Amino acid sequence: MSTYVYGIRASSHPSLPEGMGGVGNPPLPLRVLKAGDLAAVVSDAPEDLRPKRRELLAHQNVLAEIGAAGAVLPMRFGSVAPDDDAVVHVLTERADHYKERLRALDGRVEYNVKANHVEEAVLHHVMAGNPEIRALAESNRQADGGSYDDKLRLGEMVAAAVKAQEAEDALVLQRALDPAADAVSVGPESTGWLGNVSYLVERATAENFLAAVEQVRTDMPHLEVRLNGPLPPYSFVEPGPAEPAGTTAGGADAGAG
């Protein structure tokens, strides 16, 4: 049976709570695979594993439990290895890398920030900052909407201004938040977001990062800034000793987390 991997920790960590289970219905028993100074918390992998709320919470609960005793390298939901021996082999082969990551991530959490423009607010913003757009818009208004060509020209000018504003705002966001974090991981681009970035933040001083996010919200009201966290530092662990089921990517590169 395949092996489901939750996370990697030091082998010196305390034992897991008696009878604790992980993913699966009923929850499958957890076990610890040790390789020198490292250990992986695993269970059997359910054959019909799906990213349902119950399963996602089970994965998170295991990470919360093992993380309470010290640093843990979290694997993404759905990280599966062929068997226990494969996990132990990778722990041994990449021991130095995992030990370095455990040291680097000790006492740190991840916050994910996504930002996008509030459509009406950003239109007001670019209009206020562009006299040429304002003049053409006023001319069209006085001409009962203006000609087709004038409407087209105005639309193109506004679209270009908004696109330029996206690039500018992404840079401002970066300059405001990057200094408040220990490390930064830029997420995949997606339609509608001008920023999708994960930040590694020291847990003890996380209030400084949260204050920086709130300052961005105050200074840039034409942005919607979504904050998710604190999370296990998924974006700062790679590669993992397992693969998300049904993919060829590394365990820390894909999945929900």
Side-chain angles (χ1 to χ4, degrees):
M1 179 174 287
S2 300
T3 300
Y4 186 99
V5 185
Y6 299 86
I8 300 169
R9 64 180 194 177
S11 59
S12 59
H13 280 199
S15 300
L16 296 171
E18 187 73 25
M20 184 176 184
V23 297
N25 188 22
L28 292 163
L30 300 179
R31 57 185 184 274
V32 177
L33 305 178
K34 294 186 177 183
D37 295 332
L38 298 171
V41 177
V42 306
S43 69
D44 290 342
E47 293 183 1
D48 58 347
L49 184 66
R50 296 290 184 274
K52 297 179 179 179
R53 177 175 173 79
R54 176 174 55 80
E55 302 288 26
L56 292 168
L57 288 176
H59 181 91
Q60 294 281 18
N61 288 340
V62 172
L63 287 173
E65 178 64 38
I66 61 179
V72 58
L73 306 184
M75 296 296 104
R76 300 277 187 178
F77 175 83
S79 295
V80 176
D83 52 36
D84 288 4
D85 288 344
V87 176
V88 172
H89 173 76
V90 177
L91 289 181
T92 302
E93 185 178 61
R94 298 192 55 78
D96 290 343
H97 169 75
Y98 292 137
K99 290 176 186 177
E100 183 278 328
R101 287 288 80 200
L102 283 169
R103 289 191 295 270
L105 300 182
D106 190 21
R108 289 166 173 79
V109 293
E110 177 177 328
Y111 286 91
N112 176 259
V113 174
K114 289 185 174 71
N116 66 291
H117 277 150
V118 178
E119 184 174 357
E120 185 173 346
V122 76
L123 289 177
H124 284 300
H125 187 79
V126 298
M127 291 279 285
N130 192 312
E132 186 178 1
I133 291 178
R134 291 201 308 273
L136 182 56
E138 178 60 20
S139 175
N140 285 358
R141 186 187 67 80
Q142 293 181 2
D144 294 327
S147 67
Y148 172 81
D149 287 343
D150 285 340
K151 290 178 182 178
L152 182 61
R153 178 167 170 251
L154 178 61
E156 291 174 343
M157 289 174 64
V158 170
V162 169
K163 188 172 182 62
Q165 189 66 48
E166 284 184 354
E168 179 181 333
D169 288 341
L171 184 59
V172 172
L173 193 68
Q174 175 185 337
R175 289 173 174 170
L177 299 185
D178 285 13
D182 290 345
V184 177
S185 176
V186 178
E189 294 183 3
S190 59
T191 303
W193 301 113
L194 60 87
N196 175 19
V197 185
S198 290
Y199 296 89
L200 185 67
V201 176
E202 190 170 351
R203 188 187 297 271
T205 59
E207 66 272 10
N208 296 333
F209 178 79
L210 299 178
V213 173
E214 288 307 314
Q215 191 62 52
V216 167
R217 286 171 169 160
T218 299
D219 295 343
M220 305 173 75
H222 59 287
L223 286 187
E224 178 187 11
V225 180
R226 299 185 187 182
L227 178 68
N228 189 19
L231 304 166
Y234 293 106
S235 299
F236 302 90
V237 184
E238 56 179 307
E243 299 178 351
T247 77
T248 57
D253 299 333

